[in-house]
């Protein structure tokens, strides 16, 4: 179906089905094989962009520029997922078996319990999902578009086909489109093609059959600009992009985190235990000539009762609550698993600017080669900073804020620009100076500028850059660094005639004019913040591109270790094994190239550390992605924020410390639920399994076990809101399956011991009937599970460390329900309960109280200092 374009105006609305790709509907040839004029015509756009009204109209037609199908989890998906839980499927199987053999009463009860459990889980997980989506919207990305000839910043979701988009270094490409013009454009397409190195892009026409990797005139959603600038016309957005097509065909593989790995291993542990118990009990009951269906249902109910089936819901609730708490403290979570990793983090790697320093860089002076103030050097710096159109940075802002010299710029006209990139570490602008011809003004790192200089300016004379001059410059540069002053070099080159177009090859035979000296003092309170991190067991390493002297000066000033220093030049000659051995012992990584940051993070992770990396620049993206916890800030470039796991509203370590504490509380509550549920369930289910082998009847019916488990899970959900012991946030914690096993094996038998005491009381003291035994055991089992929850939740004395209000009151309500349930006629009829005599109920309460006191004593022994 062709696009209908009103020929009376170039900005007419495009009429087409929302699911149709533009490149296949406009004409037989794909968009990358068309000329600029043809594509602008086909899209009903123009060089000055769409009108604002047309953009709004197209947004209604095309829909938002988001990959909705890949990222949105709707209510139906979450609800269905509750029923696909393996333990729920076991219950559905049990209900089906019951109905097939005529036990419709049991089938209905089991089905109602399954439904109640799934709806409870759905309500909590859906709420957590909606809350997380709301948090993510607060850090939505933006794009620079030209509409009606005016550049403006708009949300990426509002970009539409026909929009003219401006890209600079650090931009994430918001949509698929064709390049109209570019300058030294290099794009990282690893997310789309797997290509490791940035790909050069430029305007032009590609063959119609060109695959994605060879479409050098196109940019695509999901990629990022590494260097250079470009103007692009948008062709496809949202689910019509190449990224959406590929990601829809093969699910994106996210590396397994330490948190996910722990859950998987815990699942394996519980599966092994469950299979052993279920098969043993089922076979034993058959050998004792118990009814087949009753034995099967009892065994399946034991499996469900043994396993904390609401663990996924508890994890979702706990992490979502943690995300809310962190958002209130200025930390936005982009990936929930990062909360646990943040709590486990024991090593933080960071750049210095803005994190350890104020980040408000001030130009202290502009000096010539001899270190004397020079107005000419300041003018050249102002020219370079004010005329460059690429990536903005704090150094340029400091130069522009240092003084008003606009009157001096009237004699200069910009001719061209060679944008900054992180390999050259230079930026050049070419200007025509009235009466003086064409001049290049190059600004950049001292070593990188010196590498292309052949002369220096001394006063009004130009002299060769010889070894003596280099030695003098190096000594002065080192002294500045030791005094905490950052130096940037300025150089020029005169051209005999205007060459028209310039590139990096023209950055040669330059004349060194002087230096710009910047100050960036340590951030106020940084010593206390670093002490707070150390107190929490987190080490600090600086990874910086700055020279060794200035980084060491800063580290000494703020109290960081500086004994072991590794430079980028040394790292180049090191093997991965050598870096693996050296990295953990190194305090400062200095003069580091962007690509080396990722190698350092990888080596530190390989050595067993849980590594956080804090960065906000283009060159930080690979390291942010490699780290266990990628940390960026709200003002970072798009590619850095997208690569990060969490985003700070302020570039402040105190904000991060609050996030670490919240992460550790979240992890502590998750592990609290697992430990409590497995120990209490393990003890009770083992007791029932053993009792079933010696009693002439099943100790509990399957429906009674399931009801017991459901009621116990209701207050368990409130663990997400529980208080956490102070010592649990003081050190990093990680998943420890052996610790869970020890906890389960240590506390489970305590529960079983009192279970057997209860059996003896019921059988040999009060001589109960079968229904009385089951009712009494149901009540005692539920009360002791809840008592375990209140006592084992803290390492302190239970009555001194009060639980959260929601946990306390929900537990009290369920205990009350357990006590009155046998006396409610309808409940007694449905679940085969019988009212218990007052002396019998009093005995159960007394046994439960003794159990609680014994559990408190055992807990003190278990948590004793070792």
């Amino acid at each position: 179906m062709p696009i209908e374009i009103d020929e009376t105006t170039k900005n007419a609305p495009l009429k087409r089905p929302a699911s149709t790709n533009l490149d296949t509907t406009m004409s037989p040839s794909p968009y990358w094989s068309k000329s600029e004029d043809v594509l602008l015509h086909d899209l009903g756009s123009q060089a000055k962009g769409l009108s604002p009204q047309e953009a709004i109209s197209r947004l209604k037609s095309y829909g938002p520029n988001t990959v909705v199908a890949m990222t949105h989890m709707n209510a139906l998906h979450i609800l269905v997922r509750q029923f696909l839980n393996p333990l729920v499927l076991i219950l559905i199987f049990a209900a089906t078996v019951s109905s097939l053999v005529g036990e419709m009463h049991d089938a209905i009860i089991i089905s109602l319990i399954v439904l109640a459990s799934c709806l409870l889980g759905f309500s909590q997980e859906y709420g957590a999902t909606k809350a997380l989506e709301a948090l993510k919207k607060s850090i939505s990305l933006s794009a620079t578009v030209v509409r009606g000839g005016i550049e403006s910043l708009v949300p990426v979701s509002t970009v539409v086909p026909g929009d003219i988009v401006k890209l600079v270094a650090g931009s994430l490409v918001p949509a698929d489109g064709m390049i109209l013009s570019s300058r030294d454009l290099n794009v990282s397409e690893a997310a789309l093609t797997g290509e490791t190195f940035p790909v050069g892009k430029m305007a032009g026409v590609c063959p119609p059959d060109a695959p994605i990797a060879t479409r050098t005139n196109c940019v695509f959603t999901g990629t990022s600009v590494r260097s250079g600038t470009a103007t692009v016309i948008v062709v496809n957005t949202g689910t019509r992009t190449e990224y959406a097509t590929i990601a829809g065909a093969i699910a994106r593989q996210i590396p397994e985190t330490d948190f996910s790995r722990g859950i998987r291993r815990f699942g394996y542990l519980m599966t092994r235990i469950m299979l052993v118990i279920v098969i043993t009990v089922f076979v034993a009951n058959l050998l004792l000539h118990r009814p087949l269906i009753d034995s099967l249902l009892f065994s399946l109910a034991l499996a469900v009762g043994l396993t904390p089936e609401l663990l996924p819901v508890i994890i979702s609730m706990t992490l979502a609550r943690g995300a809310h708490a962190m958002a209130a403290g200025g930390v936005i979570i982009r990936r929930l698993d990062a909360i646990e990793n943040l709590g486990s983090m024991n090593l933080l790697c960071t750049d210095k600017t803005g994190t350890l320093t104020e980040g408000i860089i001030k130009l202290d002076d502009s000096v010539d080669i001899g270190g004397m103030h020079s107005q000419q050097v300041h003018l050249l710096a102002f020219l370079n900073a004010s005329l460059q159109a690429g990536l903005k940075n704090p150094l340029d802002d400091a130069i522009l804020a240092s003084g008003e010299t606009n009157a001096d710029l009237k004699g200069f006209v910009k001719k061209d620009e060679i944008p900054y990139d992180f390999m050259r570490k230079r930026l050049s602008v070419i200007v025509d100076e009235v009466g003086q011809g064409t001049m290049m003004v190059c600004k950049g790192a001292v070593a990188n500028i010196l590498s292309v200089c052949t002369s220096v300016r001394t006063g009004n004379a130009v002299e060769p850059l010889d070894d003596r001059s280099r030695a003098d410059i190096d000594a002065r540069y080192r002294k500045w660094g030791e005094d905490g002053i950052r130096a940037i070099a300025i150089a020029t080159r005169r051209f005999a005639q205007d060459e028209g177009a310039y590139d990096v090859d023209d950055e040669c035979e330059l004349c060194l004019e002087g230096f710009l000296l910047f100050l960036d003092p340590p951030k106020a309170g940084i010593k206390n913040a670093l002490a707070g991190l150390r107190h929490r067991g987190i080490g600090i390493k600086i990874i910086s591109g700055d020279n060794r002297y200035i980084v060491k000066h800063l580290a000494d000033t703020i109290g960081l270790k500086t004994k072991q220093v590794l430079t980028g030049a040394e790292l180049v000659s090191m093997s991965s094994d050598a870096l693996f051995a050296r990295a953990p012992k190194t305090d400062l990584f200095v003069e580091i190239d962007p690509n080396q940051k990722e190698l350092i993070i990888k080596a530190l992770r390989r050595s067993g550390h849980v590594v956080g990396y804090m960065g906000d620049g283009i060159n930080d993206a690979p390291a942010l992605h490699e780290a266990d916890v990628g940390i960026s800030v709200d003002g970072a470039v798009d590619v850095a924020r997208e690569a990060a796991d969490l985003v700070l509203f302020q570039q402040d370590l105190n904000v991060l410390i609050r996030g670490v504490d919240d992460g550790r509380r979240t992890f502590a509550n998750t592990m609290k639920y697992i430990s409590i549920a497995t120990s209490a369930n393990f003890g009770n289910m083992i007791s029932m399994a053993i009792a079933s082998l010696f009693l002439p009847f099943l100790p509990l019916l399957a429906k009674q076990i399931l009801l017991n488990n459901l009621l116990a899970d209701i207050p368990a959900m409130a663990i997400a809101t529980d208080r956490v012991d102070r010592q649990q946030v003081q050190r990093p914690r990680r998943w420890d399956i052996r610790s869970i096993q020890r906890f389960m094996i240590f506390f489970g038998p305590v529960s079983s011991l009192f279970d057997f005491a209860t059996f003896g009381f019921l059988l040999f003291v009060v001589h109960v009937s079968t229904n009385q035994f089951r009712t009494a055991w149901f009540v005692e089992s539920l009360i002791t599970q809840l008592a375990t929850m209140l006592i084992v939740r803290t390492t302190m004395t239970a009555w001194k460390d009060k639980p959260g209000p929601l946990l306390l009151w929900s537990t009290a309500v369920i205990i009350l329900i357990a006590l009155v349930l046998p006396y409610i006629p309808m409940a007694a009829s449905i679940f085969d309960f019988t009212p218990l005599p007052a002396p019998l109920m009093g005995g159960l309460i007394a046994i439960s109280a003794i159990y609680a006191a014994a559990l408190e004593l055992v807990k003190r022994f278990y948590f004793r200092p070792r």
Side-chain angles (χ1 to χ4, degrees):
M1 175 180 176
I3 296 178
E4 300 174 10
I5 300 179
D6 185 353
E7 294 295 332
T8 61
T9 173
K10 287 186 177 183
N11 284 335
L14 303 183
K15 301 176 182 179
R16 63 167 192 82
S19 60
T20 306
N21 279 341
L22 282 168
D23 59 281
T24 59
T25 59
M26 291 183 294
S27 68
S29 58
Y31 67 87
W32 58 84
S33 66
K34 298 179 180 179
S35 66
E36 175 183 329
D37 292 340
V38 171
L39 188 58
L40 284 170
H41 177 270
D42 285 349
L43 288 170
S45 187
Q46 51 189 325
K48 67 178 183 179
L50 304 172
S51 67
Q53 296 76 15
E54 174 60 17
I56 294 173
S57 174
R58 293 193 183 191
L59 184 60
K60 294 178 181 178
S61 173
Y62 290 92
N65 180 31
T66 56
V67 190
V68 177
M70 293 164 50
T71 60
H72 182 62
M73 180 70 73
N74 61 35
L76 181 60
H77 290 156
I78 296 175
L79 181 61
V80 170
R81 196 167 65 186
Q82 308 304 313
F83 288 92
L84 294 180
N85 184 309
L87 294 171
V88 172
L89 294 177
I90 289 175
L91 292 179
I92 294 174
F93 171 73
T96 304
V97 171
S98 296
S99 63
L100 291 177
V101 298
E103 299 288 342
M104 291 303 299
H105 183 262
D106 285 348
I108 292 172
I109 292 175
I110 293 174
S111 298
L112 289 175
I113 291 175
V114 168
L115 182 62
S117 177
C118 289
L119 290 179
L120 190 62
F122 163 76
S123 66
Q124 297 296 332
E125 187 170 351
Y126 181 68
T129 302
K130 297 297 290 183
L132 183 63
E133 288 179 357
L135 289 175
K136 286 185 176 181
K137 287 180 181 178
S138 65
I139 53 169
S140 58
L141 300 175
S142 300
T144 302
V145 301
V146 180
R147 290 176 178 169
I150 300 174
E151 288 189 15
S152 58
L153 202 63
V154 302
V156 165
S157 59
T158 64
V159 172
V160 296
D163 261 332
I164 305 298
V165 174
K166 296 285 188 177
L167 300 176
V168 297
S171 298
L172 279 174
V173 178
D176 290 3
M178 194 176 84
I179 299 169
L180 301 180
S181 62
S182 66
R183 187 61 194 270
D184 297 318
L185 182 66
N186 286 280
V187 177
S188 175
E189 294 187 331
L192 193 65
T193 66
E195 172 59 47
T196 304
F197 298 100
V199 178
K201 299 280 188 174
M202 63 187 69
V205 175
C206 289
D209 59 350
I212 294 176
T214 61
R215 296 177 200 169
T216 55
N217 65 337
C218 297
V219 291
F220 305 100
T221 299
T223 65
S224 59
V225 180
R226 184 69 175 176
S227 63
T229 60
T231 300
V232 173
I233 182 168
V234 173
V235 179
N236 289 324
T237 58
T239 55
R240 295 170 295 277
T241 61
E242 297 288 353
Y243 182 83
T245 302
I246 293 174
I250 52 172
R252 183 185 177 192
Q253 296 296 317
I254 300 176
E256 186 178 41
T257 65
D258 188 60
F259 187 62
S260 301
R261 189 181 304 112
I263 293 175
R264 175 172 55 81
R265 291 175 177 172
F266 174 71
Y268 291 158
L269 169 66
M270 297 309 299
T271 301
R272 290 194 299 269
I273 296 174
M274 182 177 67
L275 287 175
V276 170
I277 293 177
V278 169
I279 294 174
T280 302
V281 170
F282 179 63
V283 172
N285 275 273
L286 289 181
L287 293 176
L288 292 171
H289 306 291
R290 304 276 171 76
L292 173 65
I293 298 304
D294 287 349
S295 298
L296 177 61
L297 294 179
F298 178 75
S299 301
L300 294 176
L302 275 183
V304 175
L306 176 64
T307 308
E309 75 279 3
L310 290 183
L311 178 60
V313 178
I314 297 293
I315 289 175
S316 296
M317 288 176 54
T318 309
L319 293 180
R321 181 174 175 82
H324 269 290
M326 295 171 75
V331 182
I332 296 295
I333 298 296
R334 299 189 66 254
R335 186 171 58 83
L336 279 181
D337 283 355
I339 295 178
E340 187 277 336
N341 285 334
L342 182 62
S344 302
M345 180 178 71
N346 63 0
L347 190 62
L348 176 65
C349 298
T350 178
D351 195 358
K352 64 180 189 63
T353 304
T355 305
L356 305 178
T357 66
E358 290 291 349
I360 305 174
I361 299 174
K362 176 184 177 183
L363 179 61
D364 186 58
D365 203 355
S366 305
V367 300
D368 58 19
I369 300 303
M372 303 300 292
H373 176 76
S374 170
Q375 188 61 35
Q376 176 65 16
V377 171
H378 186 274
L379 171 62
L380 295 171
F382 202 92
L383 269 173
N384 182 283
S386 61
L387 297 181
Q388 73 100 359
L391 178 67
K392 300 297 182 184
N393 63 80
L395 297 181
D396 287 332
D397 293 339
I399 293 169
L400 297 177
S402 62
E404 295 294 333
T405 55
N406 292 337
D408 297 327
L409 304 184
K410 294 180 179 178
F412 300 92
V413 177
K414 180 179 176 181
K415 301 293 293 181
D416 207 346
E417 177 179 346
I418 307 173
Y420 181 90
D421 69 57
F422 290 95
M423 298 306 295
R424 293 168 33 251
K425 293 186 179 179
R426 298 188 298 266
L427 184 150
S428 297
V429 295
I430 294 86
V431 297
D432 271 351
E433 183 180 4
V434 176
Q436 300 294 326
T438 303
M439 175 178 64
M440 172 186 290
V441 181
C442 186
K443 174 178 96 272
V446 173
N448 298 66
I449 292 290
L450 285 175
S451 67
V452 292
C453 286
T454 56
S455 59
V456 297
R457 185 175 302 279
T458 305
N460 294 323
V462 175
E463 300 177 355
L465 179 59
D466 53 23
D467 292 341
R468 181 178 178 181
S469 299
R470 289 182 183 274
D472 290 343
I473 292 171
D474 184 66
R476 190 169 288 111
Y477 178 58
R478 177 171 184 168
K479 180 63 169 62
W480 285 327
E482 291 172 346
D483 292 338
I485 299 173
R486 181 176 182 179
I488 295 296
I490 289 284
T492 60
R493 179 185 175 186
R494 296 282 181 176
F495 296 91
Q497 58 183 11
D498 186 3
E499 298 180 3
Y502 299 84
D503 56 34
V504 294
D505 292 336
D506 292 306
E507 289 180 338
C508 63
E509 300 181 358
L510 270 60
C511 175
L512 183 63
E513 299 284 348
F515 303 94
L516 306 172
L517 307 182
F518 297 91
L519 290 177
D520 186 13
K523 184 168 289 186
I526 190 63
K527 281 189 176 182
N528 291 334
L530 294 175
L533 288 170
R534 285 195 296 269
H535 184 64
R536 288 163 175 79
I538 300 174
I540 305 292
K541 295 183 185 294
I542 300 179
I543 303 178
S544 176
D546 278 351
N547 74 77
R548 69 195 75 181
Y549 311 116
I550 192 169
V551 176
K552 190 175 186 303
H553 175 273
L554 173 67
D556 287 335
T557 302
I558 61 179
L560 290 180
K561 293 191 297 183
T562 62
K563 290 182 179 180
Q564 299 293 328
V565 180
L566 182 66
T567 67
E570 292 173 318
L571 197 152
V572 168
S573 60
M574 297 177 69
S575 65
S576 59
D577 288 338
L579 180 60
F580 163 68
R582 180 85 178 270
K585 304 173 184 177
T586 302
D587 303 312
L588 308 177
F589 298 88
V590 298
E591 300 167 14
I592 297 297
D593 288 334
N595 294 334
Q596 295 175 328
K597 294 184 178 182
E598 182 181 10
L599 298 176
I600 295 168
I601 300 300
K602 188 175 295 184
L604 291 171
R605 290 188 65 202
R606 181 183 166 193
S607 65
H609 291 286
V610 179
V611 182
Y613 180 79
M614 192 169 181
D616 60 358
I618 313 163
N619 55 331
D620 292 315
L624 286 166
H625 187 270
E626 176 62 30
D628 292 289
V629 188
I631 307 164
S632 193
V633 293
D634 192 38
V637 298
D638 289 348
V639 67
R641 287 199 301 166
E642 190 68 12
D645 298 310
L646 54 93
V647 177
L648 308 182
F649 281 148
Q650 301 173 19
Q651 197 162 356
D652 186 349
L653 288 183
N654 288 303
V655 174
L656 183 61
I657 289 174
R658 291 195 294 270
V660 168
D661 289 346
D662 288 331
R664 291 181 180 178
R665 291 187 189 98
T666 300
F667 179 72
N669 279 334
T670 303
M671 298 306 298
K672 189 184 299 182
Y673 169 77
I674 292 173
S675 299
I676 293 170
T678 52
S679 59
N681 290 356
F682 181 70
N684 286 337
M685 296 307 115
I686 289 296
S687 303
M688 263 190 284
I690 295 175
S692 70
L693 303 179
F694 297 98
L695 293 175
F697 54 85
L698 293 175
L700 280 182
L701 298 176
K703 57 189 176 185
Q704 293 170 340
I705 296 175
L706 298 177
L707 178 63
N708 185 296
N709 207 43
L710 177 64
L711 292 176
D713 277 330
I714 292 174
M717 287 188 172
I719 286 179
T721 67
D722 192 25
R723 299 184 178 96
V724 174
D725 295 345
R726 180 177 299 177
Q727 60 266 32
Q728 291 184 310
V729 301
Q730 292 304 311
R731 310 300 298 177
R733 296 183 63 198
R734 302 176 70 173
W735 269 89
D736 186 352
I737 297 299
R738 291 184 178 180
S739 175
I740 295 174
Q741 288 177 318
R742 286 195 303 270
F743 197 95
M744 184 168 59
I745 293 172
F746 196 89
F747 286 96
V750 176
S751 176
S752 295
L753 180 63
F754 278 84
D755 291 340
F756 294 134
T758 303
F759 295 163
F761 169 74
L762 295 175
L763 294 174
F764 303 117
V765 177
V766 294
H767 305 288
V768 295
S769 65
T770 299
N771 277 354
Q772 283 181 325
F773 181 96
R774 289 170 176 164
T775 303
W777 170 228
F778 174 90
V779 172
E780 196 271 347
S781 173
L782 183 55
I783 291 176
T784 54
Q785 284 188 69
L786 298 176
T788 301
M789 186 179 304
L790 294 180
I791 294 171
V792 181
R793 53 165 286 277
T794 175
T795 59
M796 300 172 63
T797 304
W799 56 84
K800 291 183 179 180
D801 183 24
K802 294 181 180 179
L806 184 59
L807 176 59
L808 179 62
W809 287 108
S810 60
T811 302
V813 169
I814 296 301
I815 290 177
L816 180 62
I817 290 174
L819 294 174
V820 303
L821 201 59
Y823 304 98
I824 300 174
M826 181 178 292
S829 174
I830 292 174
F831 292 99
D832 290 339
F833 291 141
T834 187
L836 300 176
L840 175 54
M841 184 64 80
L844 294 176
I845 294 175
I847 292 174
S848 299
I850 296 172
Y851 167 76
L855 190 64
E856 179 66 35
L857 293 175
V858 171
K859 181 189 74 174
R860 294 187 184 184
F861 176 78
Y862 182 83
F863 289 117
R864 73 191 187 282
R866 292 178 176 88

